[in-house]
Amino acid sequence: MTTLAIIGGTGLTQLSDLNIIKREQLDTPYGQPSAEFVTGELNGSWIIFLARHGNPHTIAPHQINYRANIWGLKQLGVEQIVAVAAVGGITGDMAPAHIAIPDQIIDYSYGRKHTFFEDETVTHIDFTYPYNQKLRSRLISAAAQANIKISPLGTYGCTQGPRLETAAEIRRMERDGCDLVGMTGMPEAALAKELDMDYAAISVVANWAAGKSEGEITMDEIERHLHKGMANTAELLKAFVG
Ligand code: HPA
């Protein structure tokens, strides 16, 4: 049986439908992971859940110990990761509360510990397709089964945060081909690939990205839309594991 992990982001610090079986604190050669690894049963399947920003939510995107998180999951025997994260919507359908299963990434983050390969052996992973295609297909099917409208493609741009972007930065990202903007997709996806784990993402749109709607982006607005998007995500995940 394949061991599946779900990494929860902003708005998904806990999985309310998870019947918790155990909680494990792990230390890794890279330091402390964001939170305890929670093993539980979700809709008849065993999964491991990790709160990316800690529980409670206290760790900013640029301060997350991505290496400890991914290493810890690998130590626990995890082979597949579904990563949930809030994003801003840039193009077309990517309206607040919408869900996308991105297929590409552009990385604008910097200064993060982004590789396990730091010794003399130079290793270059292939990253042409950053997300695992089979896992993506299964997520897309699960969404159809749960009757949730999603976008089955999208390019995710990862910014450094924790501030949101300027309108000009978003215009540049749109010209680059980004559909979504978030702060936590990298180096998480690359680290999973380095350890040979299947990784796919569920991007939940919290707001129109900077300059894509009237006025400023408020935390109130983000929370309201995330609430709805995460409720759909929970249904999608149940269908996915079921
Ligand atoms: N930008 C970057 N990350 C985000 C946003 C955004 O507008 N909304 C939620 N996460």
Side-chain angles (χ1 to χ4, degrees):
M1 211 187 68
T2 315
T3 308
L4 171 77
I6 296 171
I7 302 180
T10 302
L12 196 74
T13 301
Q14 301 173 40
L15 269 182
S16 54
D17 294 315
L18 187 68
N19 298 312
I20 296 172
I21 292 154
K22 69 176 169 195
R23 297 172 184 273
E24 279 170 280
Q25 198 108 44
L26 270 189
D27 203 7
T28 79
Y30 304 97
Q32 284 289 314
S34 295
E36 293 172 326
F37 294 91
V38 181
T39 300
E41 183 258 334
L42 181 69
N43 202 14
S45 296
W46 283 63
I47 64 136
I48 294 176
F49 179 81
L50 178 67
R52 184 187 288 111
H53 296 274
N55 183 15
H57 183 300
T58 52
I59 311 170
H62 64 293
Q63 287 170 327
I64 291 166
N65 192 338
Y66 294 96
R67 293 196 301 184
N69 289 352
I70 297 297
W71 185 270
L73 291 173
K74 184 77 179 180
Q75 287 322 91
L76 293 174
V78 168
E79 293 155 281
Q80 296 184 328
I81 299 173
V82 172
V84 180
V87 296
I90 301 177
T91 57
D93 290 343
M94 305 299 182
H98 188 63
I99 290 174
I101 311 296
D103 66 316
Q104 278 296 330
I105 296 176
I106 300 179
D107 188 9
Y108 302 89
S109 71
Y110 48 86
R112 301 181 180 190
K113 301 259 189 223
H114 65 286
T115 180
F116 291 112
F117 301 139
E118 287 189 313
D119 58 17
E120 313 76 61
T121 34
V122 180
T123 310
H124 303 286
I125 54 157
D126 172 86
F127 206 45
T128 312
Y129 304 105
Y131 300 108
N132 180 269
Q133 198 52 45
K134 281 199 191 127
L135 215 47
R136 290 186 63 257
S137 300
R138 281 180 49 209
L139 285 169
I140 293 161
S141 304
Q145 198 185 317
N147 232 339
I148 297 164
K149 191 173 161 279
I150 56 138
S151 295
L153 292 170
T155 296
Y156 175 108
C158 185
T159 57
Q160 178 70 353
R163 67 165 177 84
L164 297 168
E165 298 71 35
T166 66
E169 284 169 336
I170 293 297
R171 285 198 299 270
R172 177 179 76 150
M173 290 178 76
E174 186 169 10
R175 286 195 300 275
D176 285 353
C178 294
D179 302 296
L180 305 160
V181 53
M183 300 175 189
T184 58
M186 286 294 283
E188 199 173 81
L191 291 168
K193 192 98 197 246
E194 283 190 352
L195 296 190
D196 207 20
M197 299 157 93
D198 294 347
Y199 180 99
I202 300 177
S203 297
V204 184
V205 181
N207 54 280
W208 281 113
K212 288 286 164 186
S213 67
E214 295 291 311
E216 296 182 1
I217 301 163
T218 66
M219 286 313 286
D220 241 27
E221 171 199 356
I222 289 186
E223 270 163 36
R224 202 159 23 89
H225 294 128
L226 263 190
H227 191 71
K228 184 167 170 226
M230 288 300 170
N232 280 339
T233 300
E235 291 309 308
L236 197 170
L237 286 171
K238 274 199 270 177
F240 177 77
V241 300

